[in-house]
Amino acid sequence: MGEPSAPWKTVWITGASSGIGRQLAIDLAAKGATVAVSARSVEALAGLASENANIHAFPLNVTDLAACRKTAKSIESDIAPIDLVVAAAGIWIIRDVVSFSAQDSAQAMRVNYEGAANIIDAVLPSMMARRAGHIAPMASVAGYRGIPRAVTYAPSKAALICMAETLRPDAARHGIKVQIINPGFVRTPMTDVNDFPMPFLMEPVDASQRIIAGLQSRRFEIVFPKRLALVMKLLRVLPYALYFWLMGKIVRNK
């Protein structure tokens, strides 16, 4: 028997040149969805599209709002109205108090947060006109609370989580489903640069399967792995005194 069919006919995935986005495109295409993939790397997208007739490349820099709007229209013109968009484009820059950079912080916010906002802006008019659609930006468990060495990354993901929380109730009135994807550590080119332990590290194929299952559920948050998510959620509710004591011990033992 083949793969169970996906509930979406047309899917748009950004950040699809590698990592989770790429694997998600492959898996959704295998389930029969027509997948539009976007990223800055023309070559990587072309290679991905050449491997599967259900995948179509639409190169894009998500920080360019006009280009995002144009790409959304091209997808709907060339393929069909977009049923599901997964805004997965993102960057990870390790920074702490010694290496703090306002420029890097702004760049992380521009790609991770504003890039997702640009994609949402691009698909909302059509989805609202049809009173149908599904929006799922990819944030991170790092967005739950400020953690050491993530001073550029964590704030951008926290903002993205907040945006999805804010959008969900109002979007539902217009027939649009909003979810947030919060992965833990997944083995990708982004995490390959990490020089610290990554507990419960997952492979992209496992992350993709959990995302697809979560997208078909009614829950708002798609978070994995569960053990890491539980730890991060507990950290989120700790009072500041206890939280900063714990983070201080982590920094001292680095």
Side-chain angles (χ1 to χ4, degrees):
M1 295 180 64
E3 287 271 359
S5 61
W8 314 278
K9 292 182 179 179
T10 305
V11 180
W12 184 18
I13 302 173
T14 65
S17 60
S18 63
I20 300 174
R22 184 180 191 279
Q23 188 63 51
L24 194 57
I26 292 170
D27 292 342
L28 285 172
K31 292 179 178 293
T34 300
V35 185
V37 290
S38 292
R40 290 178 299 173
S41 175
V42 176
E43 294 79 9
L45 291 182
L48 180 58
S50 69
E51 297 169 4
N52 195 307
N54 284 356
I55 297 178
H56 305 270
F58 291 83
L60 173 67
N61 183 338
V62 296
T63 64
D64 185 335
L65 174 58
C68 291
R69 290 172 174 172
K70 182 178 180 180
T71 300
K73 290 179 180 178
S74 295
I75 294 169
E76 300 215 332
S77 173
D78 296 351
I79 303 175
I82 298 165
D83 300 312
L84 164 67
V85 62
V86 178
I91 59 172
W92 157 247
I93 306 171
I94 299 175
R95 288 288 180 267
D96 57 18
V97 68
V98 175
S99 58
F100 182 84
S101 164
Q103 184 176 9
D104 287 343
S105 295
Q107 178 67 1
M109 192 63 74
R110 200 154 39 239
V111 176
N112 298 346
Y113 175 74
E114 293 179 19
N118 288 344
I119 294 301
I120 294 170
D121 176 288
V123 300
L124 269 178
S126 174
M127 289 184 176
M128 290 185 68
R130 291 181 282 123
R131 294 192 61 81
H134 192 168
I135 296 169
M138 190 172 300
S140 167
V141 295
Y144 288 166
R145 198 155 193 181
I147 55 177
R149 306 188 74 190
V151 69
T152 62
Y153 181 77
S156 68
K157 295 302 186 178
L160 194 50
I161 292 170
C162 184
M163 180 170 66
E165 290 172 346
T166 306
L167 283 173
R168 182 174 167 101
D170 196 29
R173 296 192 306 112
H174 297 274
I176 301 168
K177 181 179 180 180
V178 176
Q179 291 175 290
I180 191 73
I181 304 168
N182 286 331
F185 292 111
V186 179
R187 193 187 308 277
T188 68
M190 186 182 296
T191 58
D192 285 345
V193 304
N194 291 347
D195 58 357
F196 52 82
M198 293 181 284
F200 314 115
L201 181 67
M202 296 179 65
E203 297 300 324
V205 65
D206 297 322
S208 174
Q209 293 304 317
R210 296 194 188 202
I211 290 170
I212 293 172
L215 290 169
Q216 295 177 78
S217 72
R218 293 184 177 182
R219 63 182 184 270
F220 169 66
E221 183 186 31
I222 302 167
V223 58
F224 54 87
K226 301 245 180 246
R227 286 176 292 176
L228 180 59
L230 177 60
V231 171
M232 295 301 294
K233 286 178 183 289
L234 287 174
L235 288 177
R236 186 164 57 174
V237 300
L238 287 181
Y240 278 126
L242 182 55
Y243 178 73
F244 289 131
W245 173 82
L246 181 59
M247 291 301 105
K249 287 181 67 68
I250 291 173
V251 169
R252 286 192 295 273
N253 293 331
K254 182 177 64 174

